[in-house]
Amino acid sequence: MAVDPGLIAWVEEALAPVGGVTKRAMMGGATLYLDGTIFGIVAGDLLWFKADAESDAAWDAAGCARFSYDMGEGRTGTMNYRRAPDDVYDDADALRDWALIGVAAGMRAPVKRKKPAKSPGP
């Protein structure tokens, strides 16, 4: 699934007043960061924002589905991302409001530390 470059450009433009957006390729999609804090992903032409237990009520009230994927063998996995409401695709203020909820969730997420490299034995 190819990432929609126009969508990423729109996110960068809409969030420019609050910070710089960067992206990293991720399994056919892109992970989005605002000034170094993860806040969303793009999969195809869909935008998903970072969520957590603290922000779930806002996402639920807006009817935003949780990101899910097929794990094979009839199993489905989920990630702590919620589908962006429809208005973020054409309303910069709405995009900023929802993205900042994602940024806050990203800031609350535990930092994943890299495991130290194993040194070769003597």
Side-chain angles (χ1 to χ4, degrees):
M1 175 180 300
V3 172
D4 181 350
L7 177 55
I8 293 176
W10 164 242
V11 171
E12 292 170 339
E13 177 185 331
L15 293 180
V18 294
V21 174
T22 55
K23 67 178 181 349
R24 284 192 191 156
M26 173 204 76
M27 299 180 284
T31 304
L32 302 177
Y33 300 82
L34 182 70
D35 293 336
T37 299
I38 191 167
F39 74 93
I41 57 177
V42 173
D45 61 352
L46 295 176
L47 179 59
W48 302 79
F49 290 119
K50 185 99 173 113
D52 61 7
E54 190 170 323
S55 64
D56 276 343
W59 297 112
D60 289 341
C64 299
R66 188 173 300 278
F67 185 88
S68 63
Y69 55 95
D70 181 23
M71 296 174 59
E73 299 179 9
R75 297 180 305 148
T76 301
T78 62
M79 293 173 54
N80 280 333
Y81 290 88
R82 296 296 193 104
R83 185 168 176 179
D86 291 340
D87 59 347
V88 305
Y89 294 95
D90 59 13
D91 181 338
D93 291 328
L95 191 147
R96 277 190 296 276
D97 290 345
W98 288 106
L100 291 176
I101 292 172
V103 169
M107 293 177 85
R108 288 188 295 266
V111 175
K112 292 183 181 179
R113 303 205 188 281
K114 291 184 178 181
K115 294 180 181 178
K118 292 183 180 181
S119 60

mmCIF file of all heavy atoms in Angstrom, residues 56-108:
data_model
loop_
_atom_site.group_PDB
_atom_site.id
_atom_site.type_symbol
_atom_site.label_atom_id
_atom_site.label_comp_id
_atom_site.label_asym_id
_atom_site.label_seq_id
_atom_site.Cartn_x
_atom_site.Cartn_y
_atom_site.Cartn_z
ATOM 1 N N ASP A 56 -8.685 8.017 24.853
ATOM 2 C CA ASP A 56 -9.671 7.139 24.223
ATOM 3 C C ASP A 56 -11.092 7.697 24.268
ATOM 4 O O ASP A 56 -11.852 7.524 23.316
ATOM 5 C CB ASP A 56 -9.642 5.738 24.850
ATOM 6 C CG ASP A 56 -8.568 4.851 24.251
ATOM 7 O OD1 ASP A 56 -8.046 5.174 23.155
ATOM 8 O OD2 ASP A 56 -8.249 3.814 24.874
ATOM 9 N N ALA A 57 -11.483 8.363 25.340
ATOM 10 C CA ALA A 57 -12.851 8.888 25.441
ATOM 11 C C ALA A 57 -13.132 9.898 24.327
ATOM 12 O O ALA A 57 -14.221 9.897 23.744
ATOM 13 C CB ALA A 57 -13.084 9.516 26.809
ATOM 14 N N ALA A 58 -12.163 10.758 24.021
ATOM 15 C CA ALA A 58 -12.346 11.753 22.949
ATOM 16 C C ALA A 58 -12.491 11.053 21.607
ATOM 17 O O ALA A 58 -13.352 11.426 20.793
ATOM 18 C CB ALA A 58 -11.178 12.737 22.917
ATOM 19 N N TRP A 59 -11.656 10.036 21.369
ATOM 20 C CA TRP A 59 -11.731 9.304 20.105
ATOM 21 C C TRP A 59 -13.050 8.544 19.994
ATOM 22 O O TRP A 59 -13.677 8.521 18.938
ATOM 23 C CB TRP A 59 -10.542 8.345 19.967
ATOM 24 C CG TRP A 59 -9.227 9.038 19.921
ATOM 25 C CD1 TRP A 59 -8.247 9.008 20.870
ATOM 26 C CD2 TRP A 59 -8.735 9.892 18.883
ATOM 27 N NE1 TRP A 59 -7.183 9.785 20.473
ATOM 28 C CE2 TRP A 59 -7.456 10.337 19.268
ATOM 29 C CE3 TRP A 59 -9.251 10.320 17.670
ATOM 30 C CZ2 TRP A 59 -6.685 11.179 18.478
ATOM 31 C CZ3 TRP A 59 -8.484 11.174 16.884
ATOM 32 C CH2 TRP A 59 -7.218 11.593 17.287
ATOM 33 N N ASP A 60 -13.473 7.927 21.099
ATOM 34 C CA ASP A 60 -14.739 7.189 21.093
ATOM 35 C C ASP A 60 -15.915 8.129 20.815
ATOM 36 O O ASP A 60 -16.808 7.806 20.032
ATOM 37 C CB ASP A 60 -14.963 6.475 22.423
ATOM 38 C CG ASP A 60 -14.031 5.286 22.623
ATOM 39 O OD1 ASP A 60 -13.463 4.782 21.628
ATOM 40 O OD2 ASP A 60 -13.862 4.868 23.791
ATOM 41 N N ALA A 61 -15.910 9.307 21.455
ATOM 42 C CA ALA A 61 -17.003 10.274 21.270
ATOM 43 C C ALA A 61 -17.101 10.733 19.813
ATOM 44 O O ALA A 61 -18.194 11.025 19.320
ATOM 45 C CB ALA A 61 -16.809 11.474 22.195
ATOM 46 N N ALA A 62 -15.953 10.788 19.125
ATOM 47 C CA ALA A 62 -15.933 11.209 17.719
ATOM 48 C C ALA A 62 -16.176 10.031 16.764
ATOM 49 O O ALA A 62 -16.230 10.225 15.556
ATOM 50 C CB ALA A 62 -14.605 11.887 17.394
ATOM 51 N N GLY A 63 -16.305 8.835 17.311
ATOM 52 C CA GLY A 63 -16.553 7.658 16.475
ATOM 53 C C GLY A 63 -15.358 7.214 15.659
ATOM 54 O O GLY A 63 -15.513 6.656 14.569
ATOM 55 N N CYS A 64 -14.161 7.442 16.178
ATOM 56 C CA CYS A 64 -12.928 7.118 15.451
ATOM 57 C C CYS A 64 -12.476 5.695 15.762
ATOM 58 O O CYS A 64 -12.138 5.374 16.907
ATOM 59 C CB CYS A 64 -11.831 8.115 15.822
ATOM 60 S SG CYS A 64 -12.253 9.813 15.395
ATOM 61 N N ALA A 65 -12.456 4.862 14.746
ATOM 62 C CA ALA A 65 -12.109 3.448 14.903
ATOM 63 C C ALA A 65 -10.645 3.271 15.285
ATOM 64 O O ALA A 65 -9.789 4.074 14.921
ATOM 65 C CB ALA A 65 -12.382 2.712 13.598
ATOM 66 N N ARG A 66 -10.382 2.184 16.000
ATOM 67 C CA ARG A 66 -9.015 1.820 16.371
ATOM 68 C C ARG A 66 -8.339 1.173 15.163
ATOM 69 O O ARG A 66 -8.970 0.448 14.394
ATOM 70 C CB ARG A 66 -9.051 0.841 17.542
ATOM 71 C CG ARG A 66 -7.704 0.548 18.144
ATOM 72 C CD ARG A 66 -7.820 -0.283 19.403
ATOM 73 N NE ARG A 66 -8.603 0.344 20.449
ATOM 74 C CZ ARG A 66 -8.140 1.260 21.302
ATOM 75 N NH1 ARG A 66 -6.898 1.670 21.218
ATOM 76 N NH2 ARG A 66 -8.917 1.756 22.232
ATOM 77 N N PHE A 67 -7.055 1.431 14.994
ATOM 78 C CA PHE A 67 -6.275 0.833 13.909
ATOM 79 C C PHE A 67 -6.201 -0.671 14.139
ATOM 80 O O PHE A 67 -5.824 -1.137 15.216
ATOM 81 C CB PHE A 67 -4.862 1.434 13.886
ATOM 82 C CG PHE A 67 -4.035 0.963 12.729
ATOM 83 C CD1 PHE A 67 -4.076 1.631 11.519
ATOM 84 C CD2 PHE A 67 -3.213 -0.144 12.843
ATOM 85 C CE1 PHE A 67 -3.308 1.203 10.443
ATOM 86 C CE2 PHE A 67 -2.439 -0.579 11.779
ATOM 87 C CZ PHE A 67 -2.490 0.106 10.577
ATOM 88 N N SER A 68 -6.565 -1.444 13.129
ATOM 89 C CA SER A 68 -6.474 -2.895 13.239
ATOM 90 C C SER A 68 -5.844 -3.451 11.965
ATOM 91 O O SER A 68 -5.855 -2.803 10.916
ATOM 92 C CB SER A 68 -7.853 -3.516 13.481
ATOM 93 O OG SER A 68 -8.699 -3.270 12.383
ATOM 94 N N TYR A 69 -5.306 -4.643 12.080
ATOM 95 C CA TYR A 69 -4.642 -5.273 10.944
ATOM 96 C C TYR A 69 -4.794 -6.783 11.053
ATOM 97 O O TYR A 69 -4.998 -7.327 12.142
ATOM 98 C CB TYR A 69 -3.158 -4.881 10.878
ATOM 99 C CG TYR A 69 -2.405 -5.188 12.160
ATOM 100 C CD1 TYR A 69 -1.696 -6.385 12.289
ATOM 101 C CD2 TYR A 69 -2.417 -4.303 13.233
ATOM 102 C CE1 TYR A 69 -1.019 -6.683 13.453
ATOM 103 C CE2 TYR A 69 -1.745 -4.596 14.407
ATOM 104 C CZ TYR A 69 -1.053 -5.785 14.509
ATOM 105 O OH TYR A 69 -0.389 -6.085 15.671
ATOM 106 N N ASP A 70 -4.711 -7.449 9.929
ATOM 107 C CA ASP A 70 -4.835 -8.894 9.853
ATOM 108 C C ASP A 70 -3.509 -9.531 10.240
ATOM 109 O O ASP A 70 -2.470 -9.222 9.656
ATOM 110 C CB ASP A 70 -5.238 -9.302 8.433
ATOM 111 C CG ASP A 70 -5.415 -10.793 8.280
ATOM 112 O OD1 ASP A 70 -5.662 -11.479 9.287
ATOM 113 O OD2 ASP A 70 -5.308 -11.276 7.130
ATOM 114 N N MET A 71 -3.547 -10.404 11.225
ATOM 115 C CA MET A 71 -2.348 -11.100 11.685
ATOM 116 C C MET A 71 -2.217 -12.476 11.051
ATOM 117 O O MET A 71 -1.250 -13.186 11.301
ATOM 118 C CB MET A 71 -2.376 -11.246 13.213
ATOM 119 C CG MET A 71 -2.322 -9.939 13.950
ATOM 120 S SD MET A 71 -2.518 -10.117 15.730
ATOM 121 C CE MET A 71 -1.181 -11.189 16.170
ATOM 122 N N GLY A 72 -3.194 -12.862 10.245
ATOM 123 C CA GLY A 72 -3.183 -14.193 9.647
ATOM 124 C C GLY A 72 -3.908 -15.189 10.535
ATOM 125 O O GLY A 72 -4.171 -14.925 11.711
ATOM 126 N N GLU A 73 -4.247 -16.317 9.969
ATOM 127 C CA GLU A 73 -4.926 -17.388 10.691
ATOM 128 C C GLU A 73 -6.196 -16.894 11.389
ATOM 129 O O GLU A 73 -6.541 -17.354 12.482
ATOM 130 C CB GLU A 73 -3.988 -18.055 11.697
ATOM 131 C CG GLU A 73 -2.772 -18.696 11.052
ATOM 132 C CD GLU A 73 -1.835 -19.323 12.052
ATOM 133 O OE1 GLU A 73 -2.172 -19.434 13.244
ATOM 134 O OE2 GLU A 73 -0.731 -19.687 11.625
ATOM 135 N N GLY A 74 -6.875 -15.902 10.790
ATOM 136 C CA GLY A 74 -8.126 -15.399 11.348
ATOM 137 C C GLY A 74 -7.982 -14.488 12.548
ATOM 138 O O GLY A 74 -8.962 -14.156 13.207
ATOM 139 N N ARG A 75 -6.768 -14.070 12.852
ATOM 140 C CA ARG A 75 -6.533 -13.195 14.009
ATOM 141 C C ARG A 75 -6.390 -11.748 13.556
ATOM 142 O O ARG A 75 -5.869 -11.472 12.482
ATOM 143 C CB ARG A 75 -5.275 -13.618 14.769
ATOM 144 C CG ARG A 75 -5.394 -15.013 15.350
ATOM 145 C CD ARG A 75 -4.143 -15.440 16.100
ATOM 146 N NE ARG A 75 -2.979 -15.328 15.225
ATOM 147 C CZ ARG A 75 -1.756 -15.021 15.642
ATOM 148 N NH1 ARG A 75 -1.511 -14.810 16.905
ATOM 149 N NH2 ARG A 75 -0.762 -14.943 14.783
ATOM 150 N N THR A 76 -6.847 -10.831 14.397
ATOM 151 C CA THR A 76 -6.738 -9.406 14.129
ATOM 152 C C THR A 76 -5.978 -8.746 15.271
ATOM 153 O O THR A 76 -6.249 -9.019 16.443
ATOM 154 C CB THR A 76 -8.140 -8.758 14.010
ATOM 155 O OG1 THR A 76 -8.845 -9.403 12.951
ATOM 156 C CG2 THR A 76 -8.049 -7.273 13.733
ATOM 157 N N GLY A 77 -5.027 -7.890 14.921
ATOM 158 C CA GLY A 77 -4.279 -7.135 15.913
ATOM 159 C C GLY A 77 -4.720 -5.683 15.892
ATOM 160 O O GLY A 77 -5.320 -5.214 14.918
ATOM 161 N N THR A 78 -4.458 -4.968 16.971
ATOM 162 C CA THR A 78 -4.762 -3.535 17.026
ATOM 163 C C THR A 78 -3.543 -2.786 17.538
ATOM 164 O O THR A 78 -2.665 -3.363 18.182
ATOM 165 C CB THR A 78 -5.961 -3.223 17.953
ATOM 166 O OG1 THR A 78 -5.642 -3.631 19.285
ATOM 167 C CG2 THR A 78 -7.225 -3.912 17.487
ATOM 168 N N MET A 79 -3.508 -1.502 17.214
ATOM 169 C CA MET A 79 -2.456 -0.612 17.702
ATOM 170 C C MET A 79 -3.131 0.611 18.294
ATOM 171 O O MET A 79 -4.291 0.904 17.994
ATOM 172 C CB MET A 79 -1.528 -0.199 16.551
ATOM 173 C CG MET A 79 -0.714 -1.350 15.980
ATOM 174 S SD MET A 79 0.226 -0.927 14.495
ATOM 175 C CE MET A 79 1.167 0.475 14.973
ATOM 176 N N ASN A 80 -2.428 1.335 19.144
ATOM 177 C CA ASN A 80 -2.985 2.519 19.796
ATOM 178 C C ASN A 80 -2.992 3.729 18.864
ATOM 179 O O ASN A 80 -2.355 4.750 19.122
ATOM 180 C CB ASN A 80 -2.222 2.858 21.075
ATOM 181 C CG ASN A 80 -2.646 1.994 22.225
ATOM 182 O OD1 ASN A 80 -3.771 1.506 22.269
ATOM 183 N ND2 ASN A 80 -1.761 1.791 23.174
ATOM 184 N N TYR A 81 -3.730 3.597 17.777
ATOM 185 C CA TYR A 81 -3.948 4.693 16.834
ATOM 186 C C TYR A 81 -5.422 4.700 16.497
ATOM 187 O O TYR A 81 -6.057 3.649 16.456
ATOM 188 C CB TYR A 81 -3.123 4.503 15.547
ATOM 189 C CG TYR A 81 -1.657 4.697 15.787
ATOM 190 C CD1 TYR A 81 -0.856 3.630 16.182
ATOM 191 C CD2 TYR A 81 -1.073 5.952 15.661
ATOM 192 C CE1 TYR A 81 0.488 3.810 16.440
ATOM 193 C CE2 TYR A 81 0.269 6.130 15.916
ATOM 194 C CZ TYR A 81 1.048 5.059 16.312
ATOM 195 O OH TYR A 81 2.370 5.250 16.571
ATOM 196 N N ARG A 82 -5.957 5.910 16.259
ATOM 197 C CA ARG A 82 -7.362 6.052 15.897
ATOM 198 C C ARG A 82 -7.471 6.745 14.556
ATOM 199 O O ARG A 82 -6.698 7.666 14.240
ATOM 200 C CB ARG A 82 -8.106 6.864 16.948
ATOM 201 C CG ARG A 82 -8.173 6.210 18.322
ATOM 202 C CD ARG A 82 -8.970 4.895 18.279
ATOM 203 N NE ARG A 82 -9.298 4.425 19.598
ATOM 204 C CZ ARG A 82 -10.508 4.522 20.136
ATOM 205 N NH1 ARG A 82 -11.514 5.034 19.474
ATOM 206 N NH2 ARG A 82 -10.704 4.087 21.359
ATOM 207 N N ARG A 83 -8.445 6.307 13.765
ATOM 208 C CA ARG A 83 -8.663 6.909 12.448
ATOM 209 C C ARG A 83 -9.057 8.366 12.634
ATOM 210 O O ARG A 83 -9.884 8.708 13.476
ATOM 211 C CB ARG A 83 -9.753 6.158 11.700
ATOM 212 C CG ARG A 83 -9.905 6.684 10.304
ATOM 213 C CD ARG A 83 -10.754 5.792 9.475
ATOM 214 N NE ARG A 83 -10.934 6.418 8.175
ATOM 215 C CZ ARG A 83 -11.611 5.869 7.214
ATOM 216 N NH1 ARG A 83 -12.185 4.701 7.384
ATOM 217 N NH2 ARG A 83 -11.728 6.487 6.070
ATOM 218 N N ALA A 84 -8.458 9.217 11.827
ATOM 219 C CA ALA A 84 -8.739 10.653 11.900
ATOM 220 C C ALA A 84 -10.182 10.928 11.485
ATOM 221 O O ALA A 84 -10.687 10.317 10.547
ATOM 222 C CB ALA A 84 -7.786 11.417 10.988
ATOM 223 N N PRO A 85 -10.838 11.856 12.175
ATOM 224 C CA PRO A 85 -12.180 12.258 11.746
ATOM 225 C C PRO A 85 -12.127 12.842 10.334
ATOM 226 O O PRO A 85 -11.100 13.382 9.903
ATOM 227 C CB PRO A 85 -12.573 13.338 12.755
ATOM 228 C CG PRO A 85 -11.686 13.111 13.939
ATOM 229 C CD PRO A 85 -10.406 12.557 13.384
ATOM 230 N N ASP A 86 -13.219 12.729 9.606
ATOM 231 C CA ASP A 86 -13.260 13.167 8.209
ATOM 232 C C ASP A 86 -12.886 14.633 8.009
ATOM 233 O O ASP A 86 -12.290 14.986 6.988
ATOM 234 C CB ASP A 86 -14.653 12.917 7.609
ATOM 235 C CG ASP A 86 -14.940 11.435 7.430
ATOM 236 O OD1 ASP A 86 -13.981 10.623 7.395
ATOM 237 O OD2 ASP A 86 -16.132 11.084 7.329
ATOM 238 N N ASP A 87 -13.205 15.508 8.980
ATOM 239 C CA ASP A 87 -12.954 16.933 8.765
ATOM 240 C C ASP A 87 -11.479 17.307 8.748
ATOM 241 O O ASP A 87 -11.114 18.375 8.259
ATOM 242 C CB ASP A 87 -13.722 17.804 9.758
ATOM 243 C CG ASP A 87 -13.391 17.529 11.214
ATOM 244 O OD1 ASP A 87 -12.743 16.502 11.516
ATOM 245 O OD2 ASP A 87 -13.789 18.344 12.070
ATOM 246 N N VAL A 88 -10.575 16.425 9.217
ATOM 247 C CA VAL A 88 -9.154 16.786 9.215
ATOM 248 C C VAL A 88 -8.566 16.821 7.808
ATOM 249 O O VAL A 88 -7.515 17.410 7.598
ATOM 250 C CB VAL A 88 -8.295 15.856 10.099
ATOM 251 C CG1 VAL A 88 -8.815 15.795 11.509
ATOM 252 C CG2 VAL A 88 -8.154 14.480 9.514
ATOM 253 N N TYR A 89 -9.261 16.216 6.852
ATOM 254 C CA TYR A 89 -8.743 16.160 5.491
ATOM 255 C C TYR A 89 -8.938 17.468 4.722
ATOM 256 O O TYR A 89 -8.344 17.658 3.667
ATOM 257 C CB TYR A 89 -9.372 14.985 4.727
ATOM 258 C CG TYR A 89 -8.964 13.648 5.304
ATOM 259 C CD1 TYR A 89 -9.760 12.995 6.240
ATOM 260 C CD2 TYR A 89 -7.762 13.051 4.944
ATOM 261 C CE1 TYR A 89 -9.376 11.777 6.781
ATOM 262 C CE2 TYR A 89 -7.366 11.836 5.485
ATOM 263 C CZ TYR A 89 -8.180 11.209 6.400
ATOM 264 O OH TYR A 89 -7.794 10.004 6.944
ATOM 265 N N ASP A 90 -9.763 18.378 5.266
ATOM 266 C CA ASP A 90 -9.960 19.660 4.583
ATOM 267 C C ASP A 90 -10.074 20.847 5.533
ATOM 268 O O ASP A 90 -10.390 21.949 5.109
ATOM 269 C CB ASP A 90 -11.176 19.606 3.658
ATOM 270 C CG ASP A 90 -12.466 19.260 4.390
ATOM 271 O OD1 ASP A 90 -12.492 19.291 5.637
ATOM 272 O OD2 ASP A 90 -13.455 18.947 3.707
ATOM 273 N N ASP A 91 -9.791 20.650 6.809
ATOM 274 C CA ASP A 91 -9.891 21.723 7.800
ATOM 275 C C ASP A 91 -8.612 21.713 8.643
ATOM 276 O O ASP A 91 -8.423 20.832 9.488
ATOM 277 C CB ASP A 91 -11.132 21.503 8.672
ATOM 278 C CG ASP A 91 -11.343 22.577 9.720
ATOM 279 O OD1 ASP A 91 -10.378 23.272 10.099
ATOM 280 O OD2 ASP A 91 -12.496 22.704 10.188
ATOM 281 N N ALA A 92 -7.734 22.682 8.396
ATOM 282 C CA ALA A 92 -6.441 22.723 9.083
ATOM 283 C C ALA A 92 -6.599 22.855 10.591
ATOM 284 O O ALA A 92 -5.829 22.266 11.355
ATOM 285 C CB ALA A 92 -5.589 23.870 8.535
ATOM 286 N N ASP A 93 -7.595 23.623 11.042
ATOM 287 C CA ASP A 93 -7.811 23.771 12.487
ATOM 288 C C ASP A 93 -8.181 22.433 13.118
ATOM 289 O O ASP A 93 -7.676 22.076 14.194
ATOM 290 C CB ASP A 93 -8.893 24.810 12.772
ATOM 291 C CG ASP A 93 -8.448 26.227 12.424
ATOM 292 O OD1 ASP A 93 -7.239 26.532 12.545
ATOM 293 O OD2 ASP A 93 -9.313 27.033 12.039
ATOM 294 N N ALA A 94 -9.063 21.688 12.465
ATOM 295 C CA ALA A 94 -9.455 20.374 12.978
ATOM 296 C C ALA A 94 -8.256 19.436 12.982
ATOM 297 O O ALA A 94 -8.039 18.698 13.960
ATOM 298 C CB ALA A 94 -10.591 19.791 12.137
ATOM 299 N N LEU A 95 -7.458 19.467 11.929
ATOM 300 C CA LEU A 95 -6.276 18.608 11.880
ATOM 301 C C LEU A 95 -5.339 18.936 13.038
ATOM 302 O O LEU A 95 -4.864 18.027 13.725
ATOM 303 C CB LEU A 95 -5.545 18.756 10.549
ATOM 304 C CG LEU A 95 -4.468 17.684 10.334
ATOM 305 C CD1 LEU A 95 -4.365 17.328 8.870
ATOM 306 C CD2 LEU A 95 -3.135 18.102 10.861
ATOM 307 N N ARG A 96 -5.099 20.214 13.287
ATOM 308 C CA ARG A 96 -4.221 20.599 14.397
ATOM 309 C C ARG A 96 -4.787 20.127 15.734
ATOM 310 O O ARG A 96 -4.060 19.583 16.577
ATOM 311 C CB ARG A 96 -3.994 22.113 14.417
ATOM 312 C CG ARG A 96 -2.906 22.570 13.479
ATOM 313 C CD ARG A 96 -2.545 24.025 13.689
ATOM 314 N NE ARG A 96 -3.642 24.920 13.377
ATOM 315 C CZ ARG A 96 -3.928 25.362 12.162
ATOM 316 N NH1 ARG A 96 -3.204 24.985 11.128
ATOM 317 N NH2 ARG A 96 -4.941 26.182 11.971
ATOM 318 N N ASP A 97 -6.086 20.327 15.948
ATOM 319 C CA ASP A 97 -6.699 19.929 17.222
ATOM 320 C C ASP A 97 -6.519 18.438 17.482
ATOM 321 O O ASP A 97 -6.091 18.029 18.565
ATOM 322 C CB ASP A 97 -8.190 20.274 17.239
ATOM 323 C CG ASP A 97 -8.458 21.772 17.297
ATOM 324 O OD1 ASP A 97 -7.534 22.552 17.616
ATOM 325 O OD2 ASP A 97 -9.614 22.164 17.019
ATOM 326 N N TRP A 98 -6.853 17.613 16.482
ATOM 327 C CA TRP A 98 -6.748 16.169 16.664
ATOM 328 C C TRP A 98 -5.294 15.717 16.717
ATOM 329 O O TRP A 98 -4.941 14.827 17.499
ATOM 330 C CB TRP A 98 -7.517 15.440 15.570
ATOM 331 C CG TRP A 98 -8.996 15.558 15.760
ATOM 332 C CD1 TRP A 98 -9.859 16.329 15.046
ATOM 333 C CD2 TRP A 98 -9.788 14.905 16.756
ATOM 334 N NE1 TRP A 98 -11.137 16.193 15.529
ATOM 335 C CE2 TRP A 98 -11.126 15.321 16.580
ATOM 336 C CE3 TRP A 98 -9.499 13.996 17.776
ATOM 337 C CZ2 TRP A 98 -12.166 14.859 17.385
ATOM 338 C CZ3 TRP A 98 -10.527 13.539 18.585
ATOM 339 C CH2 TRP A 98 -11.841 13.971 18.379
ATOM 340 N N ALA A 99 -4.441 16.302 15.896
ATOM 341 C CA ALA A 99 -3.030 15.918 15.903
ATOM 342 C C ALA A 99 -2.397 16.204 17.260
ATOM 343 O O ALA A 99 -1.586 15.414 17.749
ATOM 344 C CB ALA A 99 -2.274 16.651 14.800
ATOM 345 N N LEU A 100 -2.780 17.310 17.883
ATOM 346 C CA LEU A 100 -2.209 17.643 19.190
ATOM 347 C C LEU A 100 -2.663 16.673 20.275
ATOM 348 O O LEU A 100 -1.932 16.432 21.245
ATOM 349 C CB LEU A 100 -2.509 19.096 19.553
ATOM 350 C CG LEU A 100 -1.752 20.110 18.683
ATOM 351 C CD1 LEU A 100 -2.166 21.532 19.019
ATOM 352 C CD2 LEU A 100 -0.245 19.935 18.800
ATOM 353 N N ILE A 101 -3.844 16.078 20.116
ATOM 354 C CA ILE A 101 -4.260 15.011 21.028
ATOM 355 C C ILE A 101 -3.326 13.814 20.824
ATOM 356 O O ILE A 101 -2.902 13.171 21.789
ATOM 357 C CB ILE A 101 -5.739 14.629 20.791
ATOM 358 C CG1 ILE A 101 -6.653 15.782 21.219
ATOM 359 C CG2 ILE A 101 -6.095 13.338 21.547
ATOM 360 C CD1 ILE A 101 -8.118 15.596 20.845
ATOM 361 N N GLY A 102 -2.992 13.543 19.554
ATOM 362 C CA GLY A 102 -2.047 12.477 19.250
ATOM 363 C C GLY A 102 -0.652 12.762 19.791
ATOM 364 O O GLY A 102 0.011 11.874 20.310
ATOM 365 N N VAL A 103 -0.210 14.005 19.675
ATOM 366 C CA VAL A 103 1.104 14.394 20.209
ATOM 367 C C VAL A 103 1.131 14.179 21.723
ATOM 368 O O VAL A 103 2.101 13.633 22.267
ATOM 369 C CB VAL A 103 1.438 15.862 19.864
ATOM 370 C CG1 VAL A 103 2.657 16.341 20.628
ATOM 371 C CG2 VAL A 103 1.656 16.016 18.359
ATOM 372 N N ALA A 104 0.073 14.597 22.409
ATOM 373 C CA ALA A 104 0.014 14.421 23.866
ATOM 374 C C ALA A 104 0.103 12.940 24.228
ATOM 375 O O ALA A 104 0.813 12.563 25.166
ATOM 376 C CB ALA A 104 -1.267 15.050 24.423
ATOM 377 N N ALA A 105 -0.592 12.083 23.484
ATOM 378 C CA ALA A 105 -0.510 10.636 23.729
ATOM 379 C C ALA A 105 0.910 10.139 23.463
ATOM 380 O O ALA A 105 1.430 9.312 24.216
ATOM 381 C CB ALA A 105 -1.515 9.889 22.860
ATOM 382 N N GLY A 106 1.533 10.649 22.415
ATOM 383 C CA GLY A 106 2.908 10.276 22.113
ATOM 384 C C GLY A 106 3.869 10.689 23.215
ATOM 385 O O GLY A 106 4.810 9.958 23.539
ATOM 386 N N MET A 107 3.630 11.839 23.810
ATOM 387 C CA MET A 107 4.497 12.321 24.895
ATOM 388 C C MET A 107 4.310 11.489 26.170
ATOM 389 O O MET A 107 5.249 11.351 26.957
ATOM 390 C CB MET A 107 4.241 13.795 25.157
ATOM 391 C CG MET A 107 4.674 14.672 23.999
ATOM 392 S SD MET A 107 4.310 16.405 24.240
ATOM 393 C CE MET A 107 5.751 16.879 25.165
ATOM 394 N N ARG A 108 3.104 10.947 26.350
ATOM 395 C CA ARG A 108 2.844 10.128 27.536
ATOM 396 C C ARG A 108 3.345 8.691 27.376
ATOM 397 O O ARG A 108 3.491 7.972 28.363
ATOM 398 C CB ARG A 108 1.341 10.089 27.837
ATOM 399 C CG ARG A 108 0.790 11.390 28.381
ATOM 400 C CD ARG A 108 -0.645 11.239 28.839
ATOM 401 N NE ARG A 108 -1.574 10.947 27.756
ATOM 402 C CZ ARG A 108 -2.275 11.846 27.078
ATOM 403 N NH1 ARG A 108 -2.133 13.135 27.349
ATOM 404 N NH2 ARG A 108 -3.111 11.475 26.130
#
